[in-house]
Amino acid sequence: MAIAERGYMHWQGTLGTGRRPWRVIAGQAVRLAWKRKYFKLVLFGALVPAVVFLAGIYISERMEDFKEMFKGAESFLQTNPAYFQAYYGSSFLIFMMLMIMVGSGAGLISDDLRHNALPLYFSRPLRKRDYIGGKFASLAFFLLLLTLAPGVLFIMFKLIFSGSFKFLADYPWLPFSFVGWSVFLSSFFSLYTLLLSSLGRNRRYASIMILAVYFLSTVFFGIFYGIFREPAFCLLSIEMNLRQLSAAFMGAKPQFDVPWVYSFLVLSGIMLVSILVLRKKIRGTEVIR
Amino acid sequence: MNIELRNVRFSYGPVQALDGVTLQIGEGACGLLGPNGAGKSTLLKILLGFLRPSLGDGLVLGHDILKDSFGIRRVVGYMPEDDCFIPGLDAVAFTAHFGELSGMPRAEAMKRAHDVLYYVGLGEARYRLLETYSAGMKQRLKLAQALVHDPKILFLDEPTANLDPQGRTEILELISDITSKKDLHVLISSHILTDIEQTCTSLVILNKGKVAAQGDLAALREVRFSLYEMKVVGESGAFLEALRRRECRVETTEDGVIKVYLPQTVERRDLFGLAGDAGVQVRHFVKSRTSLEDLFARTVGVD
């Protein structure tokens, strides 16, 4: 007999109360992003710089073998903080992170708003922070794949190919810098994306905003810096702030002579505003006033 | 009682949506009736803990609406009025997702999702993307996600909205099947009277944020309003006027039947006295069953 003909059947189980709903939301969002057209291509493309820098670490430990091939590039192939700053501060990496955010994050909240999914979520035992936390975790997962995962591999490769712990003895703070910067960068971009995704009900609009806000801030910096030659205008640009701060984390010299704390404050301010706006925008139900 | 509310008030800014609502809803299927803006959806949202009343308190299956909204959401399945889905998912993933969010283990949620999707008639379409679903399929899907965690009580907000007659009949059959289970209760908010009449045994009528009537549907029909159908011979104008003066609501049909709604202050034998005084003969007199439409019209004061 078909199930529909048997009538309604009860479920013989017990609902768990100790589960973490944010993990369910994050898992679903990751699976959805993974199913998207071109997303895998973008993600693997974004990992190309990490592979190149890993190869660089190998080559730096075998310079004798590659002497002819990399003549004149010895200074670049020295694995010191500046080497890692070149990876973490590279425009390509940040651009690919933006593409990941557009691909996996633009619709995270805007799609739910557009298709009225919030009442369904909040008719479950779910807090606002579970919902936001789940969406945040799904984005952070992909961004940490591009930042923290390569950082761990950089250190492992360096230790394996050098055959000693001298690198860690010289730069004992570097692993913490990798973790700290990866977490900060991923958190910033995740909140930035969620903020823009929550502002409308259209994922295309959110995608455009993610790219436009980022690049326009750099354009404004370029205009003002070109006119006034004042390095402090770097604080207008998200990209420049990220570069200033990544240099500070990696112990490298920042591009502009502006204290990194200011960049930290600007980026932290954006994160704080994002959290406040998200708390206001995400409601279990539309309240008509 | 499954649901008890005491003096619940809620306002959207200056607009008073619920004004001192006190009600008790027992077992089985209960209809929540009212014209647009009566406060039906607001009441459901308060019961789910989406909105916090400015005054009053209440219980849903023993869970306090002010302090234990999580407890309520574990035992309640909610089917909202609007189309709700997550683009990019198929029905199985969608339904299982909400099962997991309710606290079901992932494997169990998947298995249960298949079962409820078959139950609501989406078995064949369960792997189709939700964006491709018709309005009727989306209604069924909303019912499936409300049932997936096997709730003790279902809140259905306009379950037959935007459905064609065939789809409406099928959804009502499903609801009737669900309510036939003694341990699964249903609260249906609707302004389609026949839906309520077909599926519910008790009723709450809201009007302008207040409870206009509540109780067992059959008893409400019997007790509150006495409807009689009459046929008279003679000039009926004076008779109808006399009835109206006694605050009876009078309707005449094309085939000459006079429908008289008696208020509690008028007895049926008075009708014969009034007929005699007006010089008409009563040739046909039967007590009519009050329809839900009559009850609703009288309660909220509309024709």
PDB file of all heavy atoms in Angstrom, chain A residues 7-11 16 19 28 35 115-116 120-124 285, chain B residues 45 50 73 83-86 88 102-103 108 112 145 150 177 181 183:
ATOM      1  N   GLY A   7      -2.199   6.670   5.326  1.00  0.00           N
ATOM      2  CA  GLY A   7      -2.549   7.720   6.273  1.00  0.00           C
ATOM      3  C   GLY A   7      -1.305   8.238   6.968  1.00  0.00           C
ATOM      4  O   GLY A   7      -0.198   7.757   6.740  1.00  0.00           O
ATOM      5  N   TYR A   8      -1.519   9.210   7.820  1.00  0.00           N
ATOM      6  CA  TYR A   8      -0.384   9.843   8.491  1.00  0.00           C
ATOM      7  C   TYR A   8       0.263   8.883   9.476  1.00  0.00           C
ATOM      8  O   TYR A   8      -0.423   8.203  10.237  1.00  0.00           O
ATOM      9  CB  TYR A   8      -0.867  11.103   9.227  1.00  0.00           C
ATOM     10  CG  TYR A   8       0.258  11.818   9.917  1.00  0.00           C
ATOM     11  CD1 TYR A   8       1.160  12.575   9.202  1.00  0.00           C
ATOM     12  CD2 TYR A   8       0.437  11.700  11.292  1.00  0.00           C
ATOM     13  CE1 TYR A   8       2.211  13.210   9.825  1.00  0.00           C
ATOM     14  CE2 TYR A   8       1.480  12.337  11.920  1.00  0.00           C
ATOM     15  CZ  TYR A   8       2.360  13.096  11.184  1.00  0.00           C
ATOM     16  OH  TYR A   8       3.405  13.710  11.813  1.00  0.00           O
ATOM     17  N   MET A   9       1.587   8.812   9.434  1.00  0.00           N
ATOM     18  CA  MET A   9       2.332   7.921  10.326  1.00  0.00           C
ATOM     19  C   MET A   9       3.202   8.759  11.261  1.00  0.00           C
ATOM     20  O   MET A   9       3.835   9.715  10.819  1.00  0.00           O
ATOM     21  CB  MET A   9       3.252   6.990   9.517  1.00  0.00           C
ATOM     22  CG  MET A   9       2.547   6.167   8.464  1.00  0.00           C
ATOM     23  SD  MET A   9       1.502   4.893   9.178  1.00  0.00           S
ATOM     24  CE  MET A   9       2.730   3.689   9.628  1.00  0.00           C
ATOM     25  N   HIS A  10       3.245   8.375  12.520  1.00  0.00           N
ATOM     26  CA  HIS A  10       4.096   9.088  13.475  1.00  0.00           C
ATOM     27  C   HIS A  10       5.549   8.670  13.306  1.00  0.00           C
ATOM     28  O   HIS A  10       5.852   7.582  12.829  1.00  0.00           O
ATOM     29  CB  HIS A  10       3.649   8.809  14.903  1.00  0.00           C
ATOM     30  CG  HIS A  10       2.397   9.531  15.269  1.00  0.00           C
ATOM     31  ND1 HIS A  10       2.316  10.894  15.338  1.00  0.00           N
ATOM     32  CD2 HIS A  10       1.157   9.076  15.576  1.00  0.00           C
ATOM     33  CE1 HIS A  10       1.096  11.254  15.679  1.00  0.00           C
ATOM     34  NE2 HIS A  10       0.366  10.162  15.812  1.00  0.00           N
ATOM     35  N   TRP A  11       6.453   9.542  13.729  1.00  0.00           N
ATOM     36  CA  TRP A  11       7.888   9.239  13.728  1.00  0.00           C
ATOM     37  C   TRP A  11       8.249   8.639  15.085  1.00  0.00           C
ATOM     38  O   TRP A  11       7.907   9.223  16.122  1.00  0.00           O
ATOM     39  CB  TRP A  11       8.669  10.527  13.483  1.00  0.00           C
ATOM     40  CG  TRP A  11      10.155  10.378  13.587  1.00  0.00           C
ATOM     41  CD1 TRP A  11      10.937   9.531  12.862  1.00  0.00           C
ATOM     42  CD2 TRP A  11      11.040  11.082  14.452  1.00  0.00           C
ATOM     43  NE1 TRP A  11      12.254   9.677  13.223  1.00  0.00           N
ATOM     44  CE2 TRP A  11      12.351  10.625  14.199  1.00  0.00           C
ATOM     45  CE3 TRP A  11      10.859  12.074  15.423  1.00  0.00           C
ATOM     46  CZ2 TRP A  11      13.461  11.121  14.884  1.00  0.00           C
ATOM     47  CZ3 TRP A  11      11.965  12.560  16.090  1.00  0.00           C
ATOM     48  CH2 TRP A  11      13.255  12.087  15.819  1.00  0.00           C
ATOM     49  N   GLY A  16      16.367  15.706  19.450  1.00  0.00           N
ATOM     50  CA  GLY A  16      17.506  16.066  20.286  1.00  0.00           C
ATOM     51  C   GLY A  16      17.382  17.515  20.722  1.00  0.00           C
ATOM     52  O   GLY A  16      16.860  18.356  19.995  1.00  0.00           O
ATOM     53  N   ARG A  19      21.525  19.727  20.093  1.00  0.00           N
ATOM     54  CA  ARG A  19      22.152  19.909  18.783  1.00  0.00           C
ATOM     55  C   ARG A  19      22.445  21.379  18.532  1.00  0.00           C
ATOM     56  O   ARG A  19      21.854  22.259  19.136  1.00  0.00           O
ATOM     57  CB  ARG A  19      21.228  19.366  17.695  1.00  0.00           C
ATOM     58  CG  ARG A  19      20.946  17.897  17.866  1.00  0.00           C
ATOM     59  CD  ARG A  19      19.947  17.435  16.845  1.00  0.00           C
ATOM     60  NE  ARG A  19      20.521  17.428  15.517  1.00  0.00           N
ATOM     61  CZ  ARG A  19      21.316  16.474  15.052  1.00  0.00           C
ATOM     62  NH1 ARG A  19      21.633  15.464  15.814  1.00  0.00           N
ATOM     63  NH2 ARG A  19      21.802  16.537  13.831  1.00  0.00           N
ATOM     64  N   GLN A  28      24.276  22.988   5.159  1.00  0.00           N
ATOM     65  CA  GLN A  28      23.383  23.120   4.001  1.00  0.00           C
ATOM     66  C   GLN A  28      23.900  24.194   3.039  1.00  0.00           C
ATOM     67  O   GLN A  28      23.869  24.014   1.817  1.00  0.00           O
ATOM     68  CB  GLN A  28      21.974  23.474   4.496  1.00  0.00           C
ATOM     69  CG  GLN A  28      20.924  23.501   3.415  1.00  0.00           C
ATOM     70  CD  GLN A  28      20.748  22.141   2.766  1.00  0.00           C
ATOM     71  OE1 GLN A  28      21.334  21.858   1.731  1.00  0.00           O
ATOM     72  NE2 GLN A  28      19.969  21.280   3.382  1.00  0.00           N
ATOM     73  N   LYS A  35      27.254  22.984  -5.110  1.00  0.00           N
ATOM     74  CA  LYS A  35      26.463  22.542  -6.266  1.00  0.00           C
ATOM     75  C   LYS A  35      26.384  23.602  -7.359  1.00  0.00           C
ATOM     76  O   LYS A  35      25.945  23.324  -8.470  1.00  0.00           O
ATOM     77  CB  LYS A  35      25.033  22.218  -5.810  1.00  0.00           C
ATOM     78  CG  LYS A  35      24.880  20.781  -5.325  1.00  0.00           C
ATOM     79  CD  LYS A  35      23.597  20.532  -4.593  1.00  0.00           C
ATOM     80  CE  LYS A  35      22.352  21.011  -5.270  1.00  0.00           C
ATOM     81  NZ  LYS A  35      21.142  20.736  -4.475  1.00  0.00           N
ATOM     82  N   HIS A 115      12.472  34.594  -0.761  1.00  0.00           N
ATOM     83  CA  HIS A 115      11.555  33.453  -0.804  1.00  0.00           C
ATOM     84  C   HIS A 115      10.902  33.171   0.554  1.00  0.00           C
ATOM     85  O   HIS A 115      10.438  32.048   0.798  1.00  0.00           O
ATOM     86  CB  HIS A 115      12.296  32.218  -1.314  1.00  0.00           C
ATOM     87  CG  HIS A 115      12.817  32.389  -2.709  1.00  0.00           C
ATOM     88  ND1 HIS A 115      11.998  32.427  -3.807  1.00  0.00           N
ATOM     89  CD2 HIS A 115      14.076  32.584  -3.179  1.00  0.00           C
ATOM     90  CE1 HIS A 115      12.725  32.618  -4.897  1.00  0.00           C
ATOM     91  NE2 HIS A 115      13.984  32.721  -4.539  1.00  0.00           N
ATOM     92  N   ASN A 116      10.898  34.183   1.420  1.00  0.00           N
ATOM     93  CA  ASN A 116      10.180  34.110   2.716  1.00  0.00           C
ATOM     94  C   ASN A 116      10.573  32.897   3.561  1.00  0.00           C
ATOM     95  O   ASN A 116       9.711  32.286   4.205  1.00  0.00           O
ATOM     96  CB  ASN A 116       8.661  34.059   2.485  1.00  0.00           C
ATOM     97  CG  ASN A 116       8.170  35.211   1.663  1.00  0.00           C
ATOM     98  OD1 ASN A 116       8.486  36.359   1.952  1.00  0.00           O
ATOM     99  ND2 ASN A 116       7.427  34.926   0.608  1.00  0.00           N
ATOM    100  N   LEU A 120      10.077  29.992   8.271  1.00  0.00           N
ATOM    101  CA  LEU A 120      10.280  28.544   8.379  1.00  0.00           C
ATOM    102  C   LEU A 120      11.442  28.247   9.327  1.00  0.00           C
ATOM    103  O   LEU A 120      11.371  27.342  10.156  1.00  0.00           O
ATOM    104  CB  LEU A 120      10.582  27.927   7.009  1.00  0.00           C
ATOM    105  CG  LEU A 120       9.459  27.939   5.983  1.00  0.00           C
ATOM    106  CD1 LEU A 120       9.895  27.210   4.719  1.00  0.00           C
ATOM    107  CD2 LEU A 120       8.218  27.284   6.549  1.00  0.00           C
ATOM    108  N   TYR A 121      12.532  28.998   9.167  1.00  0.00           N
ATOM    109  CA  TYR A 121      13.677  28.796  10.070  1.00  0.00           C
ATOM    110  C   TYR A 121      13.278  29.049  11.517  1.00  0.00           C
ATOM    111  O   TYR A 121      13.544  28.245  12.400  1.00  0.00           O
ATOM    112  CB  TYR A 121      14.818  29.758   9.713  1.00  0.00           C
ATOM    113  CG  TYR A 121      15.686  29.303   8.565  1.00  0.00           C
ATOM    114  CD1 TYR A 121      15.587  29.890   7.316  1.00  0.00           C
ATOM    115  CD2 TYR A 121      16.622  28.287   8.740  1.00  0.00           C
ATOM    116  CE1 TYR A 121      16.383  29.486   6.263  1.00  0.00           C
ATOM    117  CE2 TYR A 121      17.421  27.870   7.698  1.00  0.00           C
ATOM    118  CZ  TYR A 121      17.300  28.477   6.464  1.00  0.00           C
ATOM    119  OH  TYR A 121      18.083  28.057   5.436  1.00  0.00           O
ATOM    120  N   PHE A 122      12.608  30.192  11.740  1.00  0.00           N
ATOM    121  CA  PHE A 122      12.372  30.599  13.119  1.00  0.00           C
ATOM    122  C   PHE A 122      11.135  29.940  13.728  1.00  0.00           C
ATOM    123  O   PHE A 122      10.813  30.196  14.884  1.00  0.00           O
ATOM    124  CB  PHE A 122      12.321  32.124  13.218  1.00  0.00           C
ATOM    125  CG  PHE A 122      13.677  32.728  12.997  1.00  0.00           C
ATOM    126  CD1 PHE A 122      14.006  33.346  11.807  1.00  0.00           C
ATOM    127  CD2 PHE A 122      14.657  32.612  13.970  1.00  0.00           C
ATOM    128  CE1 PHE A 122      15.266  33.860  11.581  1.00  0.00           C
ATOM    129  CE2 PHE A 122      15.922  33.123  13.758  1.00  0.00           C
ATOM    130  CZ  PHE A 122      16.241  33.750  12.568  1.00  0.00           C
ATOM    131  N   SER A 123      10.451  29.092  12.959  1.00  0.00           N
ATOM    132  CA  SER A 123       9.411  28.275  13.588  1.00  0.00           C
ATOM    133  C   SER A 123      10.039  27.014  14.188  1.00  0.00           C
ATOM    134  O   SER A 123       9.348  26.170  14.739  1.00  0.00           O
ATOM    135  CB  SER A 123       8.327  27.892  12.576  1.00  0.00           C
ATOM    136  OG  SER A 123       8.851  27.085  11.550  1.00  0.00           O
ATOM    137  N   ARG A 124      11.363  26.903  14.038  1.00  0.00           N
ATOM    138  CA  ARG A 124      12.132  25.833  14.674  1.00  0.00           C
ATOM    139  C   ARG A 124      12.809  26.389  15.935  1.00  0.00           C
ATOM    140  O   ARG A 124      12.945  27.606  16.068  1.00  0.00           O
ATOM    141  CB  ARG A 124      13.228  25.345  13.717  1.00  0.00           C
ATOM    142  CG  ARG A 124      12.888  24.134  12.927  1.00  0.00           C
ATOM    143  CD  ARG A 124      11.757  24.318  11.971  1.00  0.00           C
ATOM    144  NE  ARG A 124      11.166  23.045  11.624  1.00  0.00           N
ATOM    145  CZ  ARG A 124      10.234  22.857  10.713  1.00  0.00           C
ATOM    146  NH1 ARG A 124       9.755  23.870  10.044  1.00  0.00           N
ATOM    147  NH2 ARG A 124       9.752  21.678  10.479  1.00  0.00           N
ATOM    148  N   THR A 285       9.850  37.057  11.608  1.00  0.00           N
ATOM    149  CA  THR A 285       8.633  37.320  10.849  1.00  0.00           C
ATOM    150  C   THR A 285       8.617  38.779  10.446  1.00  0.00           C
ATOM    151  O   THR A 285       9.204  39.609  11.105  1.00  0.00           O
ATOM    152  CB  THR A 285       7.394  36.997  11.706  1.00  0.00           C
ATOM    153  OG1 THR A 285       6.243  37.335  10.972  1.00  0.00           O
ATOM    154  CG2 THR A 285       7.395  37.749  13.005  1.00  0.00           C
TER     155      THR A 285
ATOM    156  N   LYS B  45       1.394  34.007  15.289  1.00  0.00           N
ATOM    157  CA  LYS B  45       2.780  34.415  15.532  1.00  0.00           C
ATOM    158  C   LYS B  45       3.060  34.560  17.021  1.00  0.00           C
ATOM    159  O   LYS B  45       4.163  34.261  17.480  1.00  0.00           O
ATOM    160  CB  LYS B  45       3.073  35.720  14.789  1.00  0.00           C
ATOM    161  CG  LYS B  45       3.226  35.502  13.289  1.00  0.00           C
ATOM    162  CD  LYS B  45       3.215  36.789  12.512  1.00  0.00           C
ATOM    163  CE  LYS B  45       3.217  36.473  11.011  1.00  0.00           C
ATOM    164  NZ  LYS B  45       3.004  37.672  10.197  1.00  0.00           N
ATOM    165  N   PHE B  50       6.955  34.297  17.859  1.00  0.00           N
ATOM    166  CA  PHE B  50       7.543  35.283  16.938  1.00  0.00           C
ATOM    167  C   PHE B  50       7.322  36.697  17.476  1.00  0.00           C
ATOM    168  O   PHE B  50       8.146  37.575  17.308  1.00  0.00           O
ATOM    169  CB  PHE B  50       6.881  35.210  15.558  1.00  0.00           C
ATOM    170  CG  PHE B  50       7.263  34.011  14.742  1.00  0.00           C
ATOM    171  CD1 PHE B  50       6.642  33.761  13.530  1.00  0.00           C
ATOM    172  CD2 PHE B  50       8.242  33.138  15.167  1.00  0.00           C
ATOM    173  CE1 PHE B  50       6.982  32.659  12.762  1.00  0.00           C
ATOM    174  CE2 PHE B  50       8.589  32.033  14.408  1.00  0.00           C
ATOM    175  CZ  PHE B  50       7.955  31.798  13.207  1.00  0.00           C
ATOM    176  N   ARG B  73       8.078  25.466  19.895  1.00  0.00           N
ATOM    177  CA  ARG B  73       8.470  25.203  18.501  1.00  0.00           C
ATOM    178  C   ARG B  73       8.880  23.749  18.274  1.00  0.00           C
ATOM    179  O   ARG B  73       8.900  23.284  17.144  1.00  0.00           O
ATOM    180  CB  ARG B  73       9.613  26.137  18.107  1.00  0.00           C
ATOM    181  CG  ARG B  73       9.151  27.581  18.030  1.00  0.00           C
ATOM    182  CD  ARG B  73      10.302  28.483  17.722  1.00  0.00           C
ATOM    183  NE  ARG B  73      10.025  29.848  18.156  1.00  0.00           N
ATOM    184  CZ  ARG B  73      10.869  30.839  18.025  1.00  0.00           C
ATOM    185  NH1 ARG B  73      12.058  30.635  17.481  1.00  0.00           N
ATOM    186  NH2 ARG B  73      10.571  32.045  18.435  1.00  0.00           N
ATOM    187  N   ASP B  83       4.351  31.749   0.091  1.00  0.00           N
ATOM    188  CA  ASP B  83       5.248  30.749  -0.492  1.00  0.00           C
ATOM    189  C   ASP B  83       6.602  30.850   0.185  1.00  0.00           C
ATOM    190  O   ASP B  83       7.175  31.934   0.262  1.00  0.00           O
ATOM    191  CB  ASP B  83       5.427  31.031  -1.988  1.00  0.00           C
ATOM    192  CG  ASP B  83       4.329  30.382  -2.799  1.00  0.00           C
ATOM    193  OD1 ASP B  83       3.532  29.645  -2.212  1.00  0.00           O
ATOM    194  OD2 ASP B  83       4.285  30.625  -4.015  1.00  0.00           O
ATOM    195  N   CYS B  84       7.106  29.736   0.692  1.00  0.00           N
ATOM    196  CA  CYS B  84       8.396  29.752   1.382  1.00  0.00           C
ATOM    197  C   CYS B  84       9.233  28.594   0.857  1.00  0.00           C
ATOM    198  O   CYS B  84       8.765  27.454   0.882  1.00  0.00           O
ATOM    199  CB  CYS B  84       8.243  29.526   2.878  1.00  0.00           C
ATOM    200  SG  CYS B  84       7.077  30.584   3.674  1.00  0.00           S
ATOM    201  N   PHE B  85      10.410  28.862   0.383  1.00  0.00           N
ATOM    202  CA  PHE B  85      11.326  27.770   0.037  1.00  0.00           C
ATOM    203  C   PHE B  85      12.755  28.289  -0.033  1.00  0.00           C
ATOM    204  O   PHE B  85      12.990  29.496   0.092  1.00  0.00           O
ATOM    205  CB  PHE B  85      10.904  27.072  -1.261  1.00  0.00           C
ATOM    206  CG  PHE B  85      10.969  27.935  -2.498  1.00  0.00           C
ATOM    207  CD1 PHE B  85      12.091  27.922  -3.302  1.00  0.00           C
ATOM    208  CD2 PHE B  85       9.910  28.744  -2.865  1.00  0.00           C
ATOM    209  CE1 PHE B  85      12.154  28.702  -4.446  1.00  0.00           C
ATOM    210  CE2 PHE B  85       9.963  29.524  -4.004  1.00  0.00           C
ATOM    211  CZ  PHE B  85      11.090  29.499  -4.798  1.00  0.00           C
ATOM    212  N   ILE B  86      13.683  27.367  -0.201  1.00  0.00           N
ATOM    213  CA  ILE B  86      15.085  27.749  -0.340  1.00  0.00           C
ATOM    214  C   ILE B  86      15.499  27.377  -1.759  1.00  0.00           C
ATOM    215  O   ILE B  86      15.495  26.186  -2.099  1.00  0.00           O
ATOM    216  CB  ILE B  86      15.971  27.023   0.698  1.00  0.00           C
ATOM    217  CG1 ILE B  86      15.496  27.356   2.109  1.00  0.00           C
ATOM    218  CG2 ILE B  86      17.434  27.396   0.520  1.00  0.00           C
ATOM    219  CD1 ILE B  86      16.205  26.582   3.202  1.00  0.00           C
ATOM    220  N   GLY B  88      17.420  26.278  -5.037  1.00  0.00           N
ATOM    221  CA  GLY B  88      18.590  25.419  -5.231  1.00  0.00           C
ATOM    222  C   GLY B  88      18.454  24.065  -4.559  1.00  0.00           C
ATOM    223  O   GLY B  88      19.255  23.173  -4.805  1.00  0.00           O
ATOM    224  N   SER B 102      14.891  20.961  13.602  1.00  0.00           N
ATOM    225  CA  SER B 102      13.999  20.701  14.729  1.00  0.00           C
ATOM    226  C   SER B 102      14.640  19.779  15.755  1.00  0.00           C
ATOM    227  O   SER B 102      14.072  19.585  16.825  1.00  0.00           O
ATOM    228  CB  SER B 102      12.699  20.062  14.229  1.00  0.00           C
ATOM    229  OG  SER B 102      12.026  20.943  13.383  1.00  0.00           O
ATOM    230  N   GLY B 103      15.768  19.185  15.393  1.00  0.00           N
ATOM    231  CA  GLY B 103      16.462  18.321  16.345  1.00  0.00           C
ATOM    232  C   GLY B 103      16.527  16.867  15.945  1.00  0.00           C
ATOM    233  O   GLY B 103      16.932  16.021  16.739  1.00  0.00           O
ATOM    234  N   GLU B 108      17.851  10.194  10.111  1.00  0.00           N
ATOM    235  CA  GLU B 108      16.417  10.063  10.415  1.00  0.00           C
ATOM    236  C   GLU B 108      15.609  11.123   9.679  1.00  0.00           C
ATOM    237  O   GLU B 108      14.505  10.861   9.191  1.00  0.00           O
ATOM    238  CB  GLU B 108      16.200  10.218  11.927  1.00  0.00           C
ATOM    239  CG  GLU B 108      16.651   9.026  12.733  1.00  0.00           C
ATOM    240  CD  GLU B 108      15.703   7.858  12.586  1.00  0.00           C
ATOM    241  OE1 GLU B 108      14.493   8.052  12.747  1.00  0.00           O
ATOM    242  OE2 GLU B 108      16.171   6.754  12.262  1.00  0.00           O
ATOM    243  N   ARG B 112      12.610  10.376   7.126  1.00  0.00           N
ATOM    244  CA  ARG B 112      11.291  10.933   7.427  1.00  0.00           C
ATOM    245  C   ARG B 112      10.832  11.885   6.303  1.00  0.00           C
ATOM    246  O   ARG B 112       9.640  11.960   5.983  1.00  0.00           O
ATOM    247  CB  ARG B 112      11.368  11.669   8.767  1.00  0.00           C
ATOM    248  CG  ARG B 112      10.135  12.427   9.155  1.00  0.00           C
ATOM    249  CD  ARG B 112       9.046  11.538   9.692  1.00  0.00           C
ATOM    250  NE  ARG B 112       7.925  12.358  10.146  1.00  0.00           N
ATOM    251  CZ  ARG B 112       6.724  11.886  10.409  1.00  0.00           C
ATOM    252  NH1 ARG B 112       6.475  10.594  10.302  1.00  0.00           N
ATOM    253  NH2 ARG B 112       5.767  12.687  10.803  1.00  0.00           N
ATOM    254  N   GLN B 145       7.028  20.070   5.342  1.00  0.00           N
ATOM    255  CA  GLN B 145       8.048  20.556   6.280  1.00  0.00           C
ATOM    256  C   GLN B 145       7.452  20.791   7.673  1.00  0.00           C
ATOM    257  O   GLN B 145       8.156  20.719   8.674  1.00  0.00           O
ATOM    258  CB  GLN B 145       8.764  21.801   5.738  1.00  0.00           C
ATOM    259  CG  GLN B 145       7.949  23.057   5.566  1.00  0.00           C
ATOM    260  CD  GLN B 145       7.688  23.801   6.857  1.00  0.00           C
ATOM    261  OE1 GLN B 145       8.528  23.790   7.744  1.00  0.00           O
ATOM    262  NE2 GLN B 145       6.524  24.438   6.960  1.00  0.00           N
ATOM    263  N   ASP B 150       7.204  15.425  13.200  1.00  0.00           N
ATOM    264  CA  ASP B 150       6.086  14.793  13.897  1.00  0.00           C
ATOM    265  C   ASP B 150       5.596  15.647  15.073  1.00  0.00           C
ATOM    266  O   ASP B 150       5.687  15.240  16.241  1.00  0.00           O
ATOM    267  CB  ASP B 150       6.490  13.396  14.407  1.00  0.00           C
ATOM    268  CG  ASP B 150       5.273  12.600  14.851  1.00  0.00           C
ATOM    269  OD1 ASP B 150       4.156  12.918  14.403  1.00  0.00           O
ATOM    270  OD2 ASP B 150       5.443  11.670  15.669  1.00  0.00           O
ATOM    271  N   ASP B 177      -7.319  13.824   7.196  1.00  0.00           N
ATOM    272  CA  ASP B 177      -6.641  12.587   7.596  1.00  0.00           C
ATOM    273  C   ASP B 177      -5.762  12.828   8.828  1.00  0.00           C
ATOM    274  O   ASP B 177      -5.724  12.020   9.754  1.00  0.00           O
ATOM    275  CB  ASP B 177      -5.787  12.066   6.434  1.00  0.00           C
ATOM    276  CG  ASP B 177      -5.100  10.765   6.800  1.00  0.00           C
ATOM    277  OD1 ASP B 177      -5.828   9.782   7.064  1.00  0.00           O
ATOM    278  OD2 ASP B 177      -3.855  10.731   6.863  1.00  0.00           O
ATOM    279  N   LYS B 181      -6.179  11.540  13.439  1.00  0.00           N
ATOM    280  CA  LYS B 181      -5.301  10.998  14.486  1.00  0.00           C
ATOM    281  C   LYS B 181      -5.654  11.701  15.786  1.00  0.00           C
ATOM    282  O   LYS B 181      -5.648  12.923  15.850  1.00  0.00           O
ATOM    283  CB  LYS B 181      -3.823  11.273  14.157  1.00  0.00           C
ATOM    284  CG  LYS B 181      -3.376  10.695  12.846  1.00  0.00           C
ATOM    285  CD  LYS B 181      -3.023   9.255  13.013  1.00  0.00           C
ATOM    286  CE  LYS B 181      -2.902   8.581  11.654  1.00  0.00           C
ATOM    287  NZ  LYS B 181      -2.702   7.151  11.737  1.00  0.00           N
ATOM    288  N   ASP B 183      -4.052  12.077  18.445  1.00  0.00           N
ATOM    289  CA  ASP B 183      -2.986  12.764  19.187  1.00  0.00           C
ATOM    290  C   ASP B 183      -2.291  13.837  18.356  1.00  0.00           C
ATOM    291  O   ASP B 183      -1.206  14.283  18.684  1.00  0.00           O
ATOM    292  CB  ASP B 183      -1.958  11.746  19.692  1.00  0.00           C
ATOM    293  CG  ASP B 183      -1.538  10.787  18.600  1.00  0.00           C
ATOM    294  OD1 ASP B 183      -2.095  10.883  17.489  1.00  0.00           O
ATOM    295  OD2 ASP B 183      -0.658   9.953  18.856  1.00  0.00           O
TER     296      ASP B 183
END
